[in-house]
Amino acid sequence: MKLRFEGNMESFEQGIRELAHEIPFECADDGICVQVEASPGDELEVGRKGDHAYIRYGKKHQFFRALGLLVQRGHEGDFELKETQRFDNVGPMFDLSRNGVLTVDSFQLLLRKMALMGMNTVMLYMEDTYELEGEPYFGYMRGRYSQEELRAIDDYADLFGIEAFPSIQTLAHLEEFLKWEAAKEYKDTKGALLANDERVMAFIERMIEASSAPFRSRKMHIGMDEAEEVGRGKYLDKNGYTERFELMVNHLDKVLEIVRQKGLTPMMWSDMFLKLASTSSDNEHFSHDTKIPEEMASRIPKDVEMVYWDYAHIGEEHYEQLIANHRPLGTKLAFAGGVWVFNTFGVNYGLSLLATDDALKVCKREGIRDVYATMWGDDGMESNPYIALLGLQFYAEHAYTDAEVDKEWLKERVQFCTGIPYDAYMLMKDLDETPGSEPDNRKQSNPSKFLLYQDVLLGLFDKQIEGLPMNDHYAALEQAIIAQRNEQAALDYMFDVPEKLAHVLKLKSEIGIELKRAYDAKDHETMRHIAVHKLPEIASAVKQLRASHRTQWLRMFKPFGWEVIDIRYGGVVHRLESASDRILDLVEGRIAQIEELEQERLVFSSRNHLNHQGIGWSSYYLRMASPNVFFHVMNPF
């Protein structure tokens, strides 16, 4: 499609050139004449009539969404489309702190996709993955961004009218820095900073300065979520017991004083205040009965935007109640949902799309104007934000409609913006949405991870899947992924890992059950076959999976952090080899028994298909691989 733009195009020219590599159009003197006009408000209009077209936009990022819509719809002939943006800010939060640190090139690719979707903000979650002068161990060997790299990301985002800004931690979630001996003077507990300490406040000031300096935006997310441990380590030894709310509020006041002095607009996670106000037995911040006391509300600064995060609830009433629970805080309120790439190789689209739909519909009704899609990389980032692009597209389409997002329109949009069909993305949910899982995987099972990493002799999850046709499920999924692949699509390579993982799991999922059954029956012939043929076949498939995953990782992320996944794959392969050796020792008479196979298999946890809680969940590789000690910290504080 050839286009010729008329109007004041200076601020769009470079962005247009960048998007010409993503969608099928070119700028040409003999192209369709596109009249471009700025207009007030949050509306965009785009249309074509014969050899003429128009784009009217309120904000810069809306022009690029409109450009995409023109190319998407205009190649079919005449059309007219008018949209109103329902959120002031909509965009992702990329987790850049749990090993998967996106390269600048990868980040720029994602920004181009976001521009076509019409998103206008991106949050960079960086615990210690940015340079901090005077602190060489801050982000050491973790792929931290240089100031120049962050400026490059910000410059590129600005081409499309996308506001990039940092999200850091100024209280807790700093385990990866505080583990170093060089950080001991800042440390309260293993993950929390020492509150009410002058050295710590000077350290925080340097963090705020270093993380904000590369960005045009004056927004600053200061974190402070999940800070339950604060005041319970060195602070307690030094100062005695202090109520956590007092610690939180006093610390927040000091951090905000720094933020204000630097001309920044602060945001923070809201969960700790709801937890501290909760009367439930576990201080759950999602409790519907939580009431913020007036004395608490009066102490909370009103110039900090509270970000209500909620990733896993279905039902509009839930979000209505939780937003109501926040209102007494008296601050501006934003919402952060999730596209579930956490603790899995895939994406839990069943839960993500349902929860997002309910949450965003309520946000529109309740006047919440800023919404973010988080993509956390818990426990090492086996997944990635690329296969989550359907989730981002869903956020974007929600942002430009008052009503339900039309599924057929969503399919058309995601295919156009990313080059990958909706049905291909949705296969990613079936890595975890298996036989035995609850509908739409609402109970968050993650077998794609625990069935890969579990040890064949220990079989920690065998009872979880006993009687379920897991091998057959993954065999069918492998073929479904193959059928959806299109090597002509630029992002097709992101399906290499899911395809090869499905191949591994069709071989490995039930092998521990088969082995235990043969052992109990003293069926040495079957055991020998498993040792000589099946386990080596699985090991070979794991090696192929590792090779594909390594190629994908190095294409998306910096190399730091890959060593963690590499070690995990190595552990799987070597334990398969050890299992073969031990089985052969038994069947050839060198040992009398295999102690691991003598053990009764128990369910891993109360979350299992026997009580309709899915087929299991584990948050940590080390608990999937073994119940034994990986490391022991004598003093975690």
Side-chain angles (χ1 to χ4, degrees):
M1 188 176 188
K2 294 181 179 181
L3 301 176
R4 175 170 56 87
F5 298 97
E6 289 191 356
N8 186 358
M9 300 300 298
E10 184 178 355
S11 64
F12 301 119
E13 288 175 354
Q14 190 172 347
I16 290 171
R17 286 195 295 271
E18 294 296 316
L19 291 186
H21 301 297
E22 299 289 319
I23 54 176
F25 82 96
E26 60 179 299
C27 295
D29 291 339
D30 60 345
I32 296 169
C33 178
V34 184
Q35 186 66 44
V36 178
E37 298 176 9
S39 60
D42 291 317
E43 291 185 345
L44 68 85
E45 297 179 69
V46 57
R48 175 187 176 183
K49 188 172 184 179
D51 292 334
H52 289 80
Y54 62 89
I55 290 175
R56 302 186 187 103
Y57 64 93
K59 296 181 174 65
K60 184 176 180 179
H61 68 279
Q62 293 169 349
F63 167 83
F64 291 103
R65 177 175 169 93
L67 172 59
L69 290 167
L70 176 60
V71 176
Q72 177 186 339
R73 297 286 303 275
H75 77 278
E76 299 172 352
D78 295 353
F79 79 100
E80 288 188 323
L81 186 61
K82 183 176 181 179
E83 294 181 330
T84 301
Q85 188 171 332
R86 304 299 175 180
F87 300 117
D88 294 334
N89 293 290
V90 57
M93 184 225 73
F94 294 128
D95 184 351
L96 307 165
S97 297
R98 291 176 173 84
N99 298 354
V101 180
L102 289 162
T103 66
V104 173
D105 285 346
S106 295
F107 214 119
Q108 290 176 344
L109 184 149
L110 290 167
L111 287 168
R112 292 194 294 273
K113 302 303 181 188
M114 290 167 53
L116 291 171
M117 293 176 187
M119 290 185 155
N120 66 338
T121 192
V122 59
M123 194 189 311
L124 287 76
Y125 180 75
M126 303 178 292
E127 292 172 359
D128 66 335
T129 48
Y130 55 95
E131 287 181 336
L132 187 57
E133 187 175 352
E135 299 290 348
Y137 285 90
F138 194 81
Y140 175 59
M141 291 292 181
R142 297 250 297 136
R144 62 191 172 200
Y145 288 116
S146 67
Q147 294 279 296
E148 292 74 18
E149 287 174 315
L150 291 176
R151 275 193 288 272
I153 289 169
D154 186 60
D155 287 344
Y156 201 80
D158 186 63
L159 292 179
F160 307 108
I162 296 172
E163 181 182 24
F165 67 96
S167 173
I168 66 170
Q169 290 289 356
T170 59
L171 184 56
H173 275 306
L174 285 167
E175 292 86 349
E176 298 311 316
F177 172 59
L178 295 178
K179 68 189 176 192
W180 297 109
E181 183 183 355
K184 64 182 180 182
E185 68 181 12
Y186 305 131
K187 185 176 182 179
D188 178 10
T189 67
K190 63 183 175 67
L193 293 171
L194 184 61
N196 293 332
D197 183 273
E198 290 182 6
R199 293 168 301 178
V200 169
M201 295 314 302
F203 170 68
I204 290 173
E205 182 169 5
R206 286 188 287 131
M207 291 168 65
I208 291 170
E209 176 62 33
S211 61
S212 64
F215 296 95
R216 291 170 173 80
S217 174
R218 295 291 82 198
K219 285 184 181 177
M220 162 63 68
H221 197 308
I222 58 175
M224 297 198 188
D225 60 313
E226 298 180 323
E228 289 88 350
E229 65 193 90
V230 68
R232 296 182 174 184
K234 289 182 180 177
Y235 181 93
L236 184 62
D237 297 338
K238 182 179 177 181
N239 302 291
Y241 175 75
T242 303
E243 190 179 74
R244 278 182 300 168
F245 177 71
E246 289 297 323
L247 273 178
M248 283 280 302
V249 144
N250 289 336
H251 186 77
L252 175 60
D253 284 340
K254 293 176 180 178
V255 172
L256 290 181
E257 184 178 347
I258 296 169
V259 170
R260 294 178 190 118
Q261 287 173 352
K262 296 186 181 299
L264 299 169
T265 302
M267 307 163 63
M268 69 176 287
W269 306 112
S270 68
D271 58 296
M272 282 304 297
F273 292 125
L274 271 72
K275 288 174 182 176
L276 293 171
S278 174
T279 57
S280 65
S281 59
D282 57 357
N283 298 118
E284 171 59 62
H285 81 282
F286 295 126
S287 171
H288 286 196
D289 298 327
T290 297
K291 306 292 183 187
I292 302 290
E294 185 177 343
E295 58 269 26
M296 176 184 283
S298 67
R299 297 281 305 281
I300 294 171
K302 305 310 177 193
D303 62 341
V304 56
E305 184 175 13
M306 292 290 170
V307 184
Y308 155 43
W309 60 264
D310 199 334
Y311 313 135
H313 289 92
I314 295 172
E316 294 181 38
E317 324 75 43
H318 169 81
Y319 295 100
E320 290 170 349
Q321 184 60 59
L322 265 291
I323 289 172
N325 289 357
H326 280 81
R327 295 298 191 192
L329 292 172
T331 66
K332 184 180 179 183
L333 186 61
F335 175 76
V339 184
W340 266 95
V341 294
F342 326 172
N343 278 298
T344 176
F345 279 78
V347 187
N348 186 348
Y349 273 126
L351 176 61
S352 294
L353 297 183
L354 287 173
T356 295
D357 194 40
D358 287 342
L360 296 191
K361 284 189 288 188
V362 173
C363 284
K364 291 175 192 177
R365 291 201 300 267
E366 294 290 331
I368 306 300
R369 300 295 299 178
D370 300 338
V371 298
Y372 301 93
T374 66
M375 285 172 283
W376 297 101
D378 295 23
D379 195 44
M381 185 64 92
E382 276 93 353
S383 190
N384 63 82
Y386 285 54
I387 57 174
L389 284 170
L390 170 60
L392 293 191
Q393 191 81 56
F394 192 56
Y395 268 80
E397 300 317 310
H398 244 298
Y400 289 90
T401 181
D402 244 349
E404 300 274 348
V405 174
D406 181 79
K407 187 174 180 179
E408 293 307 311
W409 177 241
L410 177 63
K411 288 182 176 182
E412 186 179 336
R413 287 289 292 153
V414 78
Q415 169 84 55
F416 175 80
C417 292
T418 73
I420 301 296
Y422 172 94
D423 291 341
Y425 282 110
M426 290 300 283
L427 288 174
M428 298 303 96
K429 72 184 179 65
D430 293 332
L431 287 167
D432 295 305
E433 194 173 320
T434 65
S437 66
E438 291 300 288
D440 297 308
N441 200 8
R442 298 184 185 198
K443 299 297 183 181
Q444 297 166 260
S445 295
N446 62 339
S448 68
K449 188 165 175 173
F450 66 65
L451 291 178
L452 172 65
Y453 290 144
Q454 83 155 339
D455 188 85
V456 68
L457 290 180
L458 300 175
L460 294 180
F461 294 85
D462 284 350
K463 198 70 175 178
Q464 299 284 135
I465 65 165
E466 191 174 44
L468 300 174
M470 303 297 286
N471 288 354
D472 291 345
H473 170 82
Y474 284 112
L477 178 57
E478 178 189 15
Q479 292 307 309
I481 293 173
I482 291 170
Q484 280 287 346
R485 297 203 54 180
N486 173 15
E487 62 182 18
Q488 302 304 313
L491 294 183
D492 180 71
Y493 72 90
M494 69 186 183
F495 294 106
D496 285 346
V497 171
E499 178 188 326
K500 288 182 172 61
L501 177 59
H503 179 74
V504 169
L505 295 181
K506 80 175 181 183
L507 303 173
K508 186 175 186 289
S509 294
E510 300 176 55
I511 194 66
I513 296 170
E514 183 182 351
L515 176 59
K516 173 71 167 143
R517 187 182 300 121
Y519 180 83
D520 289 345
K522 297 181 170 52
D523 182 355
H524 284 194
E525 182 179 347
T526 295
M527 293 185 72
R528 181 185 293 275
H529 181 73
I530 290 172
V532 173
H533 298 288
K534 290 195 172 184
L535 297 187
E537 182 184 11
I538 295 170
S540 177
V542 172
K543 290 176 183 177
Q544 293 177 49
L545 168 60
R546 169 190 167 269
S548 287
H549 199 166
R550 180 183 60 195
T551 299
Q552 176 184 282
W553 181 285
L554 295 175
R555 193 167 179 175
M556 295 179 181
F557 302 121
K558 295 187 177 188
F560 304 95
W562 168 249
E563 75 279 0
V564 172
I565 310 299
D566 218 7
I567 289 166
R568 292 176 183 181
Y569 281 126
V572 173
V573 170
H574 284 293
R575 286 299 295 166
L576 288 167
E577 292 172 351
S578 290
S580 291
D581 292 342
R582 300 262 287 143
I583 294 166
L584 291 176
D585 282 345
L586 177 74
V587 301
E588 293 173 4
R590 290 184 289 276
I591 59 175
Q593 64 178 8
I594 298 176
E595 287 89 341
E596 299 96 321
L597 295 178
E598 291 285 327
Q599 297 290 310
E600 178 188 0
R601 275 22 184 179
L602 304 176
V603 293
F604 183 81
S605 71
S606 60
R607 296 178 66 169
N608 58 73
H609 73 280
L610 303 174
N611 61 6
H612 301 291
Q613 294 291 316
I615 66 164
W617 173 271
S618 179
S619 296
Y620 303 106
Y621 157 79
L622 62 90
R623 297 301 178 216
M624 300 173 190
S626 171
N628 289 299
V629 176
F630 269 71
F631 60 84
H632 180 62
V633 180
M634 290 296 292
N635 181 3
F637 300 148

